[in-house]
Amino acid sequence: MAIAAGDLRETIIIERASYVPNEFNEPVETWALYVSRRARREDSGSGEKEAAGQVGAFLMARFAIRRDALVDGIKPTDRISYDGAHWNIKEMKQLRDNTRYLEITAVKDLG
């Protein structure tokens, strides 16, 4: 499916983890803005998972964003902040029909 600039209706924030020392000089993980971009979002699935004897739900979505030097620096260890939730990045690839866009598959835990 072709994508046009008008399809980028959502704003996502890519956050990157860094570590800062606390008062005991222990590293503490903190998240900060890496890049903010307009995106197209498509839900691609949902389901349930079981971990540590508890069942939780998740939602999977694909976000398409225009590529540039900063976007090309996104790592799988980064996360997406969108619509008041954090989404863990699972996969990144360029769109099949358009190399100017990057497609990011991400998962949000629903509890």
Side-chain angles (χ1 to χ4, degrees), residues 67-89:
R67 292 180 66 201
D68 60 32
L70 283 174
V71 167
D72 286 343
I74 295 172
K75 302 175 182 179
T77 54
D78 296 336
R79 72 180 183 188
I80 295 174
S81 180
Y82 167 74
D83 198 24
H86 296 117
W87 297 69
N88 296 316
I89 296 173

Side-chain angles (χ1 to χ4, degrees), residues 3-4 21 23-24 27 29-30 32-33 46 48 50-51 55 58 61 66 71 74 88 95 100:
I3 187 169
E23 62 273 7
F24 302 109
E29 183 179 61
T30 183
L33 169 77
S46 61
E48 294 181 345
E50 185 175 340
V55 176
F58 68 90
R66 187 181 294 272
V71 167
I74 295 172
N88 296 316
L95 289 176
R100 293 181 300 155

